[in-house]
Amino acid sequence: MSTGSKQAEQSAAPGLTFEDRVVVITGAGNGIGRAYAHEFARRGARVVVNDLGGSVDGEGSDSSAADAVVEEITRANGHAIANHQSVVEGEKIIAAALAEWGRVDVLINNAGIAYPTAFAEMTAERWQTMLDVHIHGSYACTQAVWPHMCERGYGRLLFTSSPFGLYAAANFAHYSAAKAAMLGLSKALALEGAEHGVQANALAPFSASRMTGFDNAQQADSPFGPRYLAQLAVWLCHADTAENGGVFEVGGGYVHRVRNALSRGLHLPDDEHTAENIAVGAAVLEDFSEPVYPALGESWTIGKDVFGENWREHFAVLEDAE
Ligand code: NAD
């Protein structure tokens, strides 16, 4: 939590503006995306307000959601255009941005749907619809903008995970799986994009929104309104921000960084490595007194355990990966 003096430092920070920047925000007709659209526009960005305009559970479509936000921004002297495609047709969204303004600096993959389904009741359709919007939608928009950003040597990507993606929730196996996928996608692109000036980060929001049952007026008054999300998004997507591959929980004025932590290792070599000995030693796996936090891209924890500092020599596959 911030201290008083830290708050003073923060208020002294220069304004993070987006003059001449083009920001594409998916699912910006409601909730968190709408708050992003307003905040980026207020800071000078030209905003593509994408929204299919369906229900929270992904039924139907309605152009009025995106149109209303564009009208609000335009009335406040900001610059925005509406786009009504589904994110699964990401190339059309990016094409619309390029046709209007010739560039895309920031893509925020925010569009989302939610509907609980007990796993016993899961159908192929309920599973696939959830994965299509969150995983394929984020993939399709990002894939479409990727060559453009790499060619220009600049880009900021933001992915939307969830506490359900980090920690899971019963009756949300489909949503939890889709939101966990956002972490892998964001981090892999952070690694691939770094040499091209493209940075990727992920948020796990906690916010009043249409999805969580609040209308626009209630969201504006809420102690966990989407305005809080917008401030973190602005910071992460600004040109001066070096953050890359980060994961953050955010809401209600709080921001936390999320990391993976490893417990103390249980080492049982050769014949000692039996299920019975693992059962006896399992308490060690609860010992986080000296946690190890693997860095972004450090996917070789066990390789290091086994081979020590020369672990790389033992993995031919690394030559292909690098
Ligand atoms: P919301 O329902 O208020 O807004 C989501 C918007 O996405 C809607 O306007 C909807 O029409 C749009 N959308 C849905 N499917 C689309 C598609 N295929 N193409 C284009 N637009 C589409 O919900 P929100 O709470 O603002 O959610 C924003 C994101 O944050 C989602 O990804 C959601 O899963 C995630 N999230 C929200 C919370 C929370 O506490 N509100 C928590 C965790 C994650």
Side-chain angles (χ1 to χ4, degrees), residues 171-261:
N171 300 319
F172 283 90
H174 49 352
Y175 185 85
S176 299
K179 288 306 195 182
M182 295 301 97
L183 305 173
L185 179 56
S186 180
K187 289 181 195 181
L189 297 186
L191 289 165
E192 287 187 43
E195 66 184 277
H196 304 290
V198 178
Q199 294 172 195
N201 292 285
L203 299 182
F206 178 78
S207 178
S209 71
R210 181 187 69 156
M211 186 181 276
T212 50
F214 300 88
D215 66 26
N216 288 348
Q218 291 169 324
Q219 290 171 37
D221 288 342
S222 169
F224 69 115
R227 63 188 178 281
Y228 289 118
L229 278 291
Q231 299 307 314
L232 180 62
V234 160
W235 176 63
L236 288 173
C237 294
H238 195 267
D240 293 347
T241 302
E243 190 67 45
N244 191 29
V247 178
F248 301 89
E249 270 200 72
V250 52
Y254 294 84
V255 181
H256 293 270
R257 182 186 296 279
V258 180
R259 281 186 189 168
N260 292 355

Side-chain angles (χ1 to χ4, degrees), residues 248-313:
F248 301 89
E249 270 200 72
V250 52
Y254 294 84
V255 181
H256 293 270
R257 182 186 296 279
V258 180
R259 281 186 189 168
N260 292 355
L262 299 184
S263 71
R264 218 178 111 204
L266 177 63
H267 185 210
L268 298 165
D270 303 324
D271 293 350
E272 287 175 44
H273 204 95
T274 62
E276 291 75 8
N277 283 342
I278 292 173
V280 170
V284 169
L285 305 179
E286 301 306 316
D287 183 351
F288 281 85
S289 57
E290 292 179 40
V292 172
Y293 301 110
L296 180 68
E298 220 180 273
S299 306
W300 307 96
T301 312
I302 295 289
K304 280 188 196 170
D305 280 348
V306 177
F307 297 111
E309 285 312 306
N310 297 327
W311 59 279
R312 274 175 181 268
E313 292 169 11

Side-chain angles (χ1 to χ4, degrees), residues 107 142 145-146 149 155-159 189 198-201 237:
L107 167 64
T142 309
V145 84
W146 186 258
M149 287 182 168
R156 295 287 183 270
L157 302 169
L158 192 57
F159 293 87
L189 297 186
V198 178
Q199 294 172 195
N201 292 285
C237 294

